Amino acid sequence: MILQERKRILVAPLNWGLGHATRCIPVIEALENHGFEPVIASDGIALALLKKEFPHLKAVELPGYQIEYAKNGAFFKLKLIGQIPKMIKAVRNENTLVQQIVQEYTISGIISDNRLGVFCKTVPSVFITHQLNVLTGNTTWFTSKIHQQFIKKFNECWVPDVQTTPNLSGKLGHIENEGLKVKYIGPLSRLHKKPLEKKYDLMAILSGPEPQRTMLEEKLSTELTRYKGRVIFVKGVVEPEEKITVKDNITYYNFMNTAALEQAFNESDKVLCRSGYTTIMDLAQLGKKAFFIPTPGQYEQEYLAYKLKKTGLVPYARQSAFKVEDLEKIDMYKGLKNLGSDMRWKDLFSLFKSK
């Protein structure tokens, strides 16, 4: 009997913090479970993390977008918009390389998590995003239209949320019909809830682009020394080796793999973190109470933090204003809950079966 060769699917998350990479972990696992051979493609810490999680898979480095971020959140949008020409050039170069990768690795399908140039007209291409609308203040209409034009180059757009209310992404992931082939696939999380004994009163976990990640790390390292409880602090810095440092009431990790992170979440009573969408999906999966500090100037994170506070789920504070005493507000809010969506991978992956 001749064994049928497994179809290769290119999975390419954006290197913007770790969120896009980590939410691709359940996608990659599902592809393997359904008989496909994933090929990983990204750059920077996103690629480094996925290579650690899946050392047995082929991995390809894509060119980075080389976006520079403002130290002052007030200038975040201005600096980002000023780099649009450079970003468009990077996307074109990315797409040229992807055509070569499709040929060289005999790719049968593509799943891009927010990488605008990772598509190919000759194979089914999927775009994963929770941002059908890209919030940028008074330029939201402009940035959303540009983003939607890129999404139209893909065969399908998978939104990791539920279509109904209540949902997690709000107006980010829910729009009137713009001619997009949208499928709501339910929240994505690599983590699972487990009944473990509580070991930490608070888990602080960082991610996101520099220099804001480092700026928040420095602030929290000072503030949390006054916290009356046990703290586990995951810095979100992917390095060759795991490093653990204990100082007073705080146990620091530079990074954790999925298994260790899942255990740490389940052993922690409350969570202090950014209001990135992947983090929100993880917290909902685990049914956690949390406190958010949005990345300064990132309208998406500010909107999500405001939305969840307004609905009585999670409190938040601006980075510049945060004090450790703010954490006392957590008990006044309900916390996030699992939306209980049913992921139908077989139906989603049928797009690649036809090729």
Side-chain angles (χ1 to χ4, degrees), residues 21-65:
T22 59
R23 73 187 187 190
C24 280
I25 290 174
V27 177
I28 294 169
E29 291 174 340
L31 283 167
E32 290 193 291
N33 291 337
H34 285 77
F36 295 95
E37 180 185 345
V39 176
I40 298 165
S42 192
D43 65 289
I45 60 172
L47 181 60
L49 181 140
L50 290 178
K51 287 170 74 172
K52 285 180 179 293
E53 293 286 337
F54 302 100
H56 61 288
L57 294 180
K58 292 182 175 65
V60 184
E61 185 168 5
L62 295 174
Y65 287 10

Side-chain angles (χ1 to χ4, degrees), residues 102-119:
V102 167
Q103 294 297 319
E104 182 178 349
Y105 290 87
T106 320
I107 299 297
S108 297
I110 292 173
I111 299 176
S112 166
D113 190 322
N114 271 78
R115 293 196 82 112
L116 302 173
V118 182
F119 66 91

